[in-house]
Amino acid sequence: MTSLLLLHLLLLSLFHHNHSLSTAVNIHRKDQFRPEPISNLATKKPTTTTTFFEVTKTIQVPKTNPCSYLLLQHDFGFTYGNPPVLANYTPPTNCPSQNFDKIILQWEATCKGTQFDRIFGVWLGGVELLRSCTAEPTASGIIWTVKKDITRYYSLLMNNQTLAVFLGNLVNDIYTGVYHVNLTVHFYPSEVNSGNSVFGYGSLADLILPISQNVLMNDGLWFRIDNSDDAESKKFMVPQNAYRAVLEVYVSFHENDEFWYINLPNNLSNSHENGAFREVVVTLDGVEIGAIWPFTVIYTGGFNPLLWSPITGIGSFDLPSYDIEVTPFLGTILDGNTHEFAFSVTNALNVWLIDANLHVWLDKKSVKTEGQLLKHYVSPAVVSLVSNITGINGNIFTTANKFVSSVGWVKSSLGTITTNSTQRFDFSNFMVLGKDGNLQIVNQTINFNDSVHAEFPSSFFSIQSSKRFPLYLYLETVDKGNQTSSSLTNLTLGYDEQRAEAGDFGLFGSSLKNLQNGQGVLLQKGNSVYAGTGSTQQAYQYDDSKFCYFRNVRSSNYAILHDEEGKTCSK
Ligand SMILES: *[C@@H]1O[C@H](CO)[C@@H](O)[C@H](O)[C@H]1NC(C)=O
Ligand SMILES: *[C@@H]1O[C@H](CO)[C@@H](O)[C@H](O)[C@H]1NC(C)=O
Ligand SMILES: *[C@@H]1O[C@H](CO)[C@@H](O)[C@H](O)[C@H]1NC(C)=O
Ligand SMILES: *[C@@H]1O[C@H](CO)[C@@H](O)[C@H](O)[C@H]1NC(C)=O
Ligand SMILES: *[C@@H]1O[C@H](CO)[C@@H](O)[C@H](O)[C@H]1NC(C)=O
Ligand SMILES: *[C@@H]1O[C@H](CO)[C@@H](O)[C@H](O)[C@H]1NC(C)=O
Ligand SMILES: *[C@@H]1O[C@H](CO)[C@@H](O)[C@H](O)[C@H]1NC(C)=O
Ligand SMILES: *[C@@H]1O[C@H](CO)[C@@H](O)[C@H](O)[C@H]1NC(C)=O
Ligand SMILES: *[C@@H]1O[C@H](CO)[C@@H](O)[C@H](O)[C@H]1NC(C)=O
């Protein structure tokens, strides 16, 4: 039985929540996929501080001594309903060098007690630098560190800014965990005093505009998308000498859409779940310019927290952002007037948190560039659904695909550059429902490919990325009588990306294969977990021919059983 109070608290504890709870839940029991935190689990309890981590490649830094600064030290106790924590940011004027090859943001946190996984964001001048979720603590304490390469925000980091951090935490008699956080930035001076002189498409943006909310009294700077009709927008203006623009979009999904990929079509559930397909749509002045079919991040409390301790889910500590090339549309926004980006989510349930950063490249040799959109084509997502459900057992097969292509030219002191940007998407979600609502199997794959090709008078620049997000879930609940049940979760979660950049400089290619397998069981009485196990295996392999990184790691119930790491390229 679902305790309404607990469920309410649970939802409230993650976010501000302003709708009444849907009561009819036939097949899906959401509380089952988002169990109570398990710091007090009698068995398998760690007795020392556990270090959580997300497997990712080490960041390559130059052999120089970094200039490091503490940006913020804060204890996130009962912060829910408060505004973000603010601090003044100044660039590293005391550093002997003023040219930096690498800039790294470091989040270090400890927590002890019982607490949910909380989403948090770090913004500089309204530009989101990091979106992440916290780890769920244990009674004997946890610690974790997230390091993110933020070099791409270089121009922003060279000016005074306001830093904002929002982590909505709720502390009471039950949820006791306070997150103690140090946020540090490391500036690595360049090895050779070349400066950051790379010019043109491959360089870092000259200006980064926030496409986020202004600081509010009680939330982060995210836009909140609560349903499929919701569209949230922001007005902006670009300098009239821009020659390239890229919109970097951050998304995360929570509450009723935290597990959107297991949601059932509306004719099969009496709570409106809107099926298992979602896409984030981005418009510029009302015209769709691109979409995001997001990676299925599973937060540290998802399905079974023991699957994510201490190895956390792919992307959970550093949620991916997605780039949409805006250059083909520059001609329409170079008029010195305000324009508007808007975000919506097809089939959305509450709540999606979305914002973006507009990276803009400026022509330092002219005050005015011009441009024109030549071609623009969007094939809307075609979703097909086939099912043979009888009663509540059967199969549901959902597929979708989409193509977006935009071509435009921009004339600057670099000459006339014609940019062709494309996005290709492919989605398949195969679901099995069985055992009268107690079994659900989901086998989903998202292919998300994009390319940008810029043709210069006598050269070119191109980027191609093919991303593949496989997800397999086996979710089974067995009623053990006496109000107890066991929930089995076996899963596979993958993030693969092949990237290639080509131009005057030659060709730069990289390949990432990142795969997690997990198996877990939770025994629950009512809403509380009284026993459980969780094992995770992860294989991570990155190769860009200059730098390689691999890690194979296995864990079981907070303990690392095997850990192998390497930096040599095998082939
Ligand atoms: C933050 O830094 C202070 C001072 O160096 C240190 O005492 C504290 O343990 C650090 N906390 C975390 C969470 O790293
Ligand atoms: C940046 O902030 C510092 C410290 O508050 C101040 O001394 C400096 O003048 C500011 N710089 C600019 C360009 O405003
Ligand atoms: C639900 O809708 C799908 C797609 O329209 C259809 O294939 C299926 O038969 C419907 N199921 C029920 C139980 O009505
Ligand atoms: C649905 O079709 C699959 C084969 O595609 C079959 O194995 C399954 O038994 C069918 N389910 C029902 C309820 O008809
Ligand atoms: C743009 O690129 C796509 C994919 O590479 C290609 O199919 C299309 O023909 C190109 N369009 C133009 C106008 O070059
Ligand atoms: C994406 O690229 C991969 C690798 O090139 C290819 O196998 C796949 O079919 C592409 N998918 C789409 C939707 O374009
Ligand atoms: C998931 O579906 C793909 C084909 O769409 C198949 O190759 C794969 O074996 C399936 N995975 C599992 C675990 O059934
Ligand atoms: C049912 O649960 C109660 C409370 O936990 C326990 O006292 C009782 O022995 C259990 N009964 C059975 C049949 O397991
Ligand atoms: C789940 O994983 C466990 C452990 O590997 C395995 O024994 C079990 O057969 C798996 N169950 C299913 C249904 O895949």
Side-chain angles (χ1 to χ4, degrees):
M1 282 296 291
T2 296
S3 151
L4 262 187
L5 176 70
L6 268 176
L7 186 57
H8 185 78
L9 245 180
L10 188 151
L11 293 174
L12 184 81
S13 60
L14 271 174
F15 293 101
H16 175 70
H17 131 303
N18 54 8
H19 74 300
S20 60
L21 275 171
S22 55
T23 45
V25 183
N26 52 356
I27 297 178
H28 281 157
R29 307 199 330 227
K30 293 206 187 256
D31 52 321
Q32 175 189 321
F33 305 123
R34 169 149 276 295
E36 284 286 292
I38 54 171
S39 65
N40 295 320
L41 204 62
T43 52
K44 321 290 185 195
K45 189 161 61 179
T47 51
T48 53
T49 304
T50 306
T51 302
F52 280 59
F53 59 93
E54 182 185 338
V55 173
T56 183
K57 62 180 189 287
T58 50
I59 304 171
Q60 283 189 288
V61 293
K63 291 188 190 70
T64 52
N65 287 329
C67 296
S68 302
Y69 301 82
L70 183 70
L71 295 176
L72 183 78
Q73 179 167 9
H74 193 80
D75 300 328
F76 291 89
F78 202 128
T79 51
Y80 183 79
N82 291 350
V85 177
L86 303 179
N88 287 329
Y89 169 87
T90 53
T93 42
N94 295 332
C95 196
S97 168
Q98 287 298 308
N99 286 315
F100 306 103
D101 270 359
K102 204 66 104 183
I103 307 172
I104 294 175
L105 183 71
Q106 178 178 313
W107 169 279
E108 198 173 14
T110 60
C111 190
K112 200 175 199 170
T114 304
Q115 194 50 267
F116 281 103
D117 48 347
R118 306 292 183 182
I119 193 80
F120 67 88
V122 176
W123 294 264
L124 195 63
V127 169
E128 187 159 359
L129 302 183
L130 171 70
R131 188 170 314 183
S132 180
C133 93
T134 63
E136 290 195 352
T138 64
S140 46
I142 63 161
I143 183 166
W144 83 98
T145 302
V146 182
K147 282 185 182 177
K148 179 168 182 180
D149 182 350
I150 54 164
T151 317
R152 97 176 272 198
Y153 306 101
Y154 199 99
S155 62
L156 183 78
L157 290 155
M158 293 304 125
N159 290 297
N160 285 357
Q161 309 284 356
T162 300
L163 177 86
V165 180
F166 180 78
L167 186 164
N169 195 18
L170 191 146
V171 175
N172 58 24
D173 289 349
I174 305 167
Y175 306 118
T176 54
V178 172
Y179 288 103
H180 306 282
V181 175
N182 286 351
L183 191 62
T184 311
V185 64
H186 305 285
F187 292 87
Y188 286 85
S190 309
E191 270 177 86
V192 277
N193 202 4
S194 59
N196 287 274
S197 58
V198 191
F199 187 54
Y201 257 55
S203 66
L204 302 169
D206 300 298
L207 176 70
I208 306 169
L209 297 173
I211 310 295
S212 59
Q213 300 223 55
N214 300 326
V215 173
L216 298 173
M217 291 315 290
N218 61 354
D219 209 343
L221 279 68
W222 304 297
F223 296 110
R224 296 174 51 96
I225 306 287
D226 285 318
N227 58 61
S228 54
D229 298 325
D230 206 352
E232 296 293 327
S233 63
K234 171 91 172 198
K235 291 198 162 62
F236 70 97
M237 198 190 279
V238 294
Q240 287 182 269
N241 62 338
Y243 69 90
R244 188 186 181 200
V246 171
L247 189 70
E248 178 195 19
V249 185
Y250 280 89
V251 309
S252 59
F253 26 83
H254 308 277
E255 293 184 39
N256 291 329
D257 249 358
E258 177 173 353
F259 308 109
W260 51 269
Y261 39 84
I262 66 171
N263 282 9
L264 302 176
N266 289 340
N267 64 354
L268 296 177
S269 69
N270 53 10
S271 57
H272 274 272
E273 299 184 11
N274 290 353
F277 171 74
R278 299 289 181 275
E279 73 163 334
V280 178
V281 172
V282 179
T283 63
L284 170 61
D285 298 331
V287 175
E288 180 175 346
I289 60 162
I292 291 153
W293 292 19
F295 172 68
T296 49
V297 178
I298 302 175
Y299 310 117
T300 49
F303 298 108
N304 176 345
L306 289 167
L307 294 171
W308 315 117
S309 45
I311 305 172
T312 74
I314 296 172
S316 60
F317 278 178
D318 181 7
L319 273 78
S321 62
Y322 307 87
D323 286 352
I324 295 177
E325 188 73 34
V326 178
T327 313
F329 303 90
L330 256 189
T332 64
I333 56 176
L334 284 170
D335 55 6
N337 293 325
T338 57
H339 294 271
E340 188 175 58
F341 282 119
F343 308 98
S344 60
V345 182
T346 306
N347 297 332
L349 302 181
N350 70 318
V351 58
W352 287 63
L353 302 178
I354 302 182
D355 64 16
N357 306 324
L358 184 64
H359 297 249
V360 184
W361 284 255
L362 301 176
D363 185 357
K364 280 145 201 155
K365 292 185 188 150
S366 81
V367 291
K368 190 138 177 41
T369 53
E370 55 180 317
Q372 193 186 350
L373 180 67
L374 295 175
K375 266 193 214 161
H376 179 50
Y377 175 76
V378 179
S379 79
V382 182
V383 184
S384 114
L385 199 150
V386 182
S387 73
N388 69 349
I389 302 283
T390 46
I392 49 174
N393 297 315
N395 299 348
I396 307 166
F397 190 43
T398 312
T399 57
N401 57 69
K402 174 167 179 140
F403 174 63
V404 182
S405 163
S406 322
V407 183
W409 59 260
V410 177
K411 198 165 143 190
S412 70
S413 70
L414 299 169
T416 300
I417 308 169
T418 304
T419 304
N420 179 357
S421 153
T422 63
Q423 291 188 312
R424 278 174 215 276
F425 302 94
D426 186 83
F427 168 93
S428 83
N429 180 298
F430 182 70
M431 251 185 225
V432 177
L433 301 179
K435 303 193 175 173
D436 297 327
N438 289 309
L439 171 68
Q440 185 174 13
I441 302 171
V442 176
N443 185 357
Q444 175 177 293
T445 305
I446 295 174
N447 281 298
F448 181 163
N449 296 355
D450 40 38
S451 73
V452 177
H453 182 94
E455 197 68 42
F456 289 65
S458 61
S459 64
F460 76 102
F461 179 79
S462 76
I463 308 172
Q464 269 185 36
S465 154
S466 302
K467 292 181 274 288
R468 188 171 165 272
F469 309 145
L471 170 70
Y472 173 84
L473 279 166
Y474 184 100
L475 306 167
E476 186 175 3
T477 306
V478 179
D479 192 337
K480 301 277 191 189
N482 204 12
Q483 294 191 341
T484 65
S485 63
S486 80
S487 314
L488 171 80
T489 304
N490 283 7
L491 61 79
T492 300
L493 178 64
Y495 190 117
D496 297 342
E497 183 173 12
Q498 310 280 331
R499 261 182 87 84
E501 286 184 23
D504 285 345
F505 57 88
L507 177 70
F508 178 78
S510 68
S511 148
L512 170 67
K513 285 190 192 308
N514 191 2
L515 193 70
Q516 289 184 314
N517 281 297
Q519 309 80 34
V521 179
L522 289 183
L523 300 176
Q524 281 173 277
K525 188 166 183 79
N527 239 11
S528 57
V529 176
Y530 66 90
T533 58
S535 304
T536 300
Q537 308 85 43
Q538 185 164 7
Y540 182 104
Q541 190 148 16
Y542 173 83
D543 183 344
D544 69 19
S545 76
K546 277 189 214 141
F547 172 67
C548 297
Y549 180 83
F550 83 86
R551 189 164 181 187
N552 286 324
V553 58
R554 276 191 290 129
S555 71
S556 174
N557 305 325
Y558 295 104
I560 297 292
L561 303 181
H562 174 86
D563 195 354
E564 190 188 352
E565 190 187 29
K567 287 181 186 164
T568 46
C569 300
S570 50
K571 290 169 245 83

